[in-house]
Amino acid sequence: MGSKDKSIVITGGGVIGSCIAYYLTSHPRYDRKSHTVTVLEASSIGGGASGKAGGVIASWAYPSCLAPLSYRLHCELADKHGGIQKWGFRHVYCADVDAMGEAVGHAATTQDYAHFHSHIFSSRSNKQFPPELDWITPDKITSYTELGRPENTAQVHPHLFTNSIADAAIENSARFITGYATSLNQINNGGQIKSVSYEAKQTNELNEINATDVVIAAGPWTKNLLP
Ligand SMILES: Cc1cc2nc3c(=O)[nH]c(=O)nc-3n(C[C@H](O)[C@H](O)[C@H](O)COP(=O)(O)OP(=O)(O)OC[C@H]3O[C@@H](n4cnc5c(N)ncnc54)[C@H](O)[C@@H]3O)c2cc1C
Ligand SMILES: *[C@@H]1O[C@H](CO)[C@@H](O)[C@H](O)[C@H]1NC(C)=O
């Protein structure tokens, strides 16, 4: 961050934007007297994919340059902020399962069987065929391959996780604004950021926040801000 005052604006309050706000405001060189971190979220924190994902984290996931770090940080965050209670952090088994499905609401005929493929998450132990799989008729399971074990796999409630981390960032003095970023404004259009314009959600009012740095974390909408 250097010694200069920073006004950092993060567009998007999904898991990425909320975690960036948290880690920036937790940084030893973050000084709440001279730096500001503002998250602009168009709908609500974790309102997109981040609130609705499967929430699976695994040190064996991809990309291998990031997944082990992400997994370790998730474990640390859960320890530090009571993630078991706050966002349902739990270690799980994870498996790749092939099974024969049956159409619901039809008289079952062989034509109604569909092949499906799914990850099954199970919080209790058993390698070959966990008892938790009792919601699939056992003779319909054609294969069960373990992918992860509790020591390298976990799951969070993604909406609670994203909101808890946003709350922790707010405790660290980050500011969250509900508004839709409409443009990133540059000094003389020269590539150096000056401010972010946004439409406030409640009032539809157009506002501007001064910014020295902008982080675009708008998920699939990122291209609306940076074509
Ligand atoms: C069904 C499903 C299951 C998944 N399961 C897993 C899983 O098990 N494990 C895993 O690691 N990942 C999983 N993922 C992927 C994971 O959800 C995403 O990688 C992650 O949520 C992306 O976070 P994000 O913050 O980049 O984006 P988003 O969650 O999309 O957040 C972007 C935010 O930006 C806001 N926004 C957009 N435009 C603007 C604007 N102009 N101004 C202000 N705000 C704006 C949006 O409202 C949104 O809240 C899954 C995804 C899906 C859909
Ligand atoms: C934003 O920057 C402009 C130009 O430097 C300045 O005049 C204005 O007071 C700043 N606004 C805020 C809220 O800091």
Side-chain angles (χ1 to χ4, degrees):
M1 283 194 167
S3 54
K4 286 225 239 119
D5 291 2
K6 293 276 184 189
S7 307
I8 302 171
V9 176
I10 299 163
T11 57
V15 71
I16 302 296
S18 298
C19 285
I20 291 172
Y22 171 80
Y23 281 107
L24 282 176
T25 55
S26 305
H27 194 279
R29 282 160 72 185
Y30 172 77
D31 175 359
R32 55 177 83 189
K33 289 194 290 289
S34 49
H35 303 132
T36 63
V37 171
T38 308
V39 178
L40 256 182
E41 165 51 46
S43 63
S44 60
I45 301 301
S50 296
K52 302 179 174 71
V56 178
I57 50 189
S59 59
W60 45 268
Y62 306 102
S64 57
C65 59
L66 279 178
L69 170 64
S70 168
Y71 184 74
R72 180 167 65 74
L73 293 177
H74 264 289
C75 294
E76 286 175 17
L77 288 172
D79 267 354
K80 187 165 180 200
H81 294 285
I84 294 174
Q85 285 78 31
K86 281 192 192 153
W87 58 82
F89 180 90
R90 57 179 189 151
H91 289 283
V92 291
Y93 283 82
C94 180
D96 217 339
V97 176
D98 284 308
M100 300 294 284
E102 213 175 292
V104 176
H106 291 261
T109 67
T110 43
Q111 288 99 311
D112 284 333
Y113 290 120
H115 199 65
F116 72 87
H117 182 82
S118 179
H119 293 314
I120 303 292
F121 310 111
S122 129
S123 61
R124 255 173 275 135
S125 92
N126 206 323
K127 26 181 194 322
Q128 289 290 307
F129 209 85
E132 287 83 352
L133 272 183
D134 62 0
W135 50 277
I136 300 180
T137 311
D139 62 12
K140 298 288 184 281
I141 298 173
T142 55
S143 82
Y144 181 91
T145 313
E146 189 179 273
L147 296 177
R149 303 181 60 78
E151 53 271 29
N152 59 18
T153 314
Q155 191 177 26
V156 301
H157 184 301
H159 190 260
L160 294 178
F161 173 73
T162 304
N163 277 272
S164 300
I165 293 304
D167 288 345
I170 290 167
E171 248 174 64
N172 288 346
S173 85
R175 194 163 61 123
F176 280 70
I177 295 178
T178 310
Y180 185 87
T182 51
S183 67
L184 312 177
N185 312 313
Q186 301 165 15
I187 298 171
N188 303 323
N189 291 318
Q192 196 191 325
I193 197 78
K194 171 176 80 177
S195 64
V196 177
S197 300
Y198 71 96
E199 194 180 310
K201 197 188 179 191
Q202 294 294 330
T203 58
N204 294 338
E205 202 182 313
L206 283 175
N207 286 313
E208 205 173 321
I209 319 173
N210 288 350
T212 56
D213 301 83
V214 172
V215 179
I216 303 170
W221 299 277
T222 290
K223 68 175 167 46
N224 297 353
L225 284 164
L226 206 62

